[in-house]
Amino acid sequence: MVSTDVSRFLSTIKLSRTFESLSDSNKKFLAEHAVTTELKKGDFLWKRLDPGEYCAFVVEGLVEIVNENKSGNELIMGIFGPGDMIGLSAILKKTQYPASAIVSSKNSKILKFFIRSIDRDLAGQDWENMLNWQRERLLIHEQILRDKIMILGAGDLSARIIELFDNLQMRFSKSQDVNPNKIIIPISITKTQIAKIIEARVETVIRILNKWEKADYLKMGDQSVILNNFERLRSQEGSK
């Protein structure tokens, strides 16, 4: 389902920290070049080598950036959620998308910005402000992709999972529960997704996560991941 409503888009943009460094005129410019779409799990935002026609802002849900290795196995290059921008590099370079973008949550809401001709359309706009914002978003996007390298280099499988949870907590947790030992990551991620991100056998990762759930260190629900006594878990796994 696709819809266009400039005033509603502008409201979404103004409420998000992602766009806070943009001038009012540039926020309005983006809203005027936007459409919103609601997608379900498994839907493609775009496929690898599709022409870069738009960049996307994740309002709700999760999107995986996915590629294949030489063996044809699917690799998750990065996972993006509420507040994240994707596809901007392809727009600016006016090239194809280097990897596929697939919705991995049950539902998602995406704001698409059709700004491929941004250099022409921005005549009279705050060009320097827009350029600085683009650089800022690209750096954040690249850091998320580099985080994958940090996760893979964290050590054994338990250490990789802990590094991943650390990363997701930093990016998506807005606040802690009353109990400081209880961390809530408000995203829906599956054990299979975790295995793909850390590039490990699904069965082995599920076995580790099930063990942590049984010990009450972890609870994975439809809407969130809950970490209990996370520092104790980190210490316990690190001492092995």
Side-chain angles (χ1 to χ4, degrees):
M1 182 175 68
V2 177
S3 66
T4 57
D5 184 338
V6 173
S7 62
R8 183 157 54 89
F9 299 161
L10 185 57
S11 177
T12 298
I13 289 169
K14 287 182 175 180
L15 288 172
S16 173
R17 293 181 62 185
T18 301
F19 307 97
E20 64 184 359
S21 64
L22 280 176
S23 65
D24 288 342
S25 61
N26 282 332
K27 290 174 183 175
K28 184 173 182 290
F29 168 82
L30 288 181
E32 291 171 344
H33 289 76
V35 300
T36 188
T37 182
E38 295 183 7
L39 302 172
K40 297 186 180 300
K41 186 172 183 177
D43 288 344
F44 282 83
L45 262 175
W46 57 72
K47 294 183 179 180
R48 181 177 178 270
L49 301 184
D50 280 351
E53 296 178 339
Y54 60 87
C55 55
F57 172 66
V58 184
V59 182
E60 297 175 6
L62 289 180
V63 176
E64 297 172 349
I65 300 299
V66 176
N67 222 327
E68 291 184 351
N69 60 20
K70 293 180 180 180
S71 302
N73 296 319
E74 183 183 275
L75 296 177
I76 298 178
M77 310 304 295
I79 188 166
F80 296 83
D84 288 331
M85 289 286 303
I86 54 176
L88 187 57
S89 176
I91 295 298
L92 298 180
K93 293 178 181 178
K94 300 183 179 180
T95 187
Q96 299 166 313
Y97 297 114
S100 298
I102 307 173
V103 173
S104 61
S105 53
K106 185 176 181 181
N107 297 291
S108 70
K109 183 183 292 184
I110 307 294
L111 201 56
K112 299 178 179 179
F113 298 112
F114 288 83
I115 53 174
R116 185 162 188 173
S117 56
I118 194 168
D119 50 346
R120 183 187 70 244
D121 290 338
L122 267 179
Q125 299 293 326
D126 190 343
W127 178 237
E128 185 176 353
N129 173 253
M130 179 62 83
L131 283 177
N132 288 335
W133 177 78
Q134 290 170 351
R135 294 189 191 102
E136 169 190 300
R137 302 325 302 177
L138 285 173
L139 286 173
I140 291 173
H141 185 276
E142 290 172 3
Q143 182 59 56
I144 291 170
L145 296 180
R146 284 197 299 271
D147 287 344
K148 169 76 178 285
I149 299 173
M150 297 293 293
I151 291 166
L152 293 181
D156 63 15
L157 293 189
S158 294
R160 288 190 224 170
I161 298 171
I162 289 172
E163 184 72 20
L164 173 61
F165 283 149
D166 258 338
N167 179 266
L168 296 177
Q169 173 197 347
M170 180 181 65
R171 291 175 56 201
F172 297 116
S173 290
K174 294 180 176 61
S175 62
Q176 289 189 334
D177 194 86
V178 175
N179 180 354
N181 291 320
K182 185 176 184 179
I183 299 168
I184 300 175
I185 305 174
I187 63 171
S188 173
I189 187 170
T190 68
K191 295 171 183 177
T192 298
Q193 283 176 293
I194 290 173
K196 289 182 179 180
I197 293 170
I198 70 170
E199 300 184 14
R201 287 177 57 85
V202 174
E203 297 82 1
T204 306
V205 171
I206 289 176
R207 187 162 58 249
I208 293 171
L209 293 173
N210 286 347
K211 182 182 72 173
W212 292 355
E213 283 184 314
K214 188 175 181 180
D216 199 31
Y217 284 120
L218 172 69
K219 182 177 180 180
M220 298 182 66
D222 292 337
Q223 302 297 324
S224 65
V225 175
I226 300 174
L227 303 172
N228 296 310
N229 297 310
F230 189 48
E231 291 305 319
R232 183 188 299 172
L233 173 63
R234 188 200 308 275
S235 175
Q236 173 184 297
E237 293 299 325
S239 64
K240 290 182 178 179

